[in-house]
Amino acid sequence: MAAPAERSVLTEAARDRGRAADVLAAGALGGCAAWALISAAAGGGRPEGVLLAVLAVASGYVCGRICGSLVPVATATAMALVGLAGAVASSQGAFGAAVTVATPPGDAGAVTALLVLAAGAACCAASAARRPRTRSALWVLALVIAGVAILLGSVVGFLATLGVLLCSLAAARTRRRAVALAGFALLTAVVVGTGWAVAEQALPEGLSASLEGQLTQHRVRLWQDAAALAKEHPLLGVGPDRFGDLSAAAAQSPVNDGKPHSAPLQQAAEQGAVGVALLGAVYGGLLFALGRSRCSTPVVLTAGAALTALAALASVGNALSFTSVTAGAGLLAGLATARPAVAPPPAAPAVWQDTVGPTRA
């Protein structure tokens, strides 16, 4: 067993790494807010939407860190139930008006994203629960969320929630979280790169036609307009929330929400290359914070899988346009990076705390 002095040094080193991850994530969020103001001042855009999204992520992250250090399992379970209720209410529009304020009824992107976050929260709670009955009930809740996705007609939501569930089950036997998190980052990069290639018509004809059939021609035209605007204004972009004013495809749509339905392409068109880099830095900063988290590896990788699924959805849809989704993403990341309020004795570590990390005796 390690000496007390050695354990103290290792614990302090782990805290320093955790602080570095927090600083990186906070810096990326602050950079997004500052650059939105700069881009808006240069192009005459409207930065309020970006600022609201940044505030939602930061608020959710802080709440997740606080609640995760006190009642992590209960908070994650509550998040799963609220996310499920919000998805159902948003898809039907018949009840839950208070929940659907930030997610208008009938918006498939918001519904799918809420289901993914709810499944991720349920799986995090299951991975951290001490009692077998509680753990089993939470796994059942995750399966129910996947089943609700089918009932709501969201095949993508079903596949995404099922993927999060399978990743969570596999994470129970995974010890090297860094490799898995790097795989999540690579998967996100592939999805973003594929979307950009579709917009640039750089894929083989057969593959391009197949993807266009799945994405719809209207969405592909929106992406092409976003790519064209990004080329014309590579550094500052045209200004936040100005895509709908300048896109011919958006103007021809009977329902113009002013979004290209791709977060990276929207950032490139409205805030230029710097905006895209900052968006990627936020996602990378969250993964880095997860890698340095003192929570158990199953909890960390489950949250990483859910955030990666959300990033993939945001790359081909407008999921990040809703405050409930961005706040939920921040809350889940905060829960998975929270530190215990009181350090447990070495012989009986808390389940939510990693027993394989640097604090192990």
Side-chain angles (χ1 to χ4, degrees), residues 17-33 54 57-58 61 65 278-290 333-334 337:
R17 291 195 295 268
R19 294 191 191 101
D22 292 342
V23 170
L24 177 61
L29 284 174
C32 286
V54 171
V57 173
Y61 188 76
R65 291 292 294 266
L278 287 170
L279 180 64
V282 171
Y283 174 69
L286 291 178
L287 290 185
F288 181 71
L290 289 174
T337 55

Side-chain angles (χ1 to χ4, degrees), residues 166-229:
L166 293 177
C167 286
S168 182
L169 293 173
R173 300 183 178 181
T174 303
R175 297 301 178 187
R176 302 185 63 180
R177 64 173 66 174
V179 176
L181 292 172
F184 291 153
L186 179 60
L187 177 61
T188 303
V190 169
V191 174
V192 173
T194 302
W196 193 276
V198 170
E200 293 286 352
Q201 297 180 329
L203 295 176
E205 184 176 353
L207 179 59
S208 179
S210 175
L211 290 175
E212 185 174 335
Q214 298 292 327
L215 296 168
T216 71
Q217 294 182 352
H218 174 64
R219 183 167 302 186
V220 172
R221 288 197 298 270
L222 290 174
W223 290 6
Q224 292 171 348
D225 286 351
L229 290 173

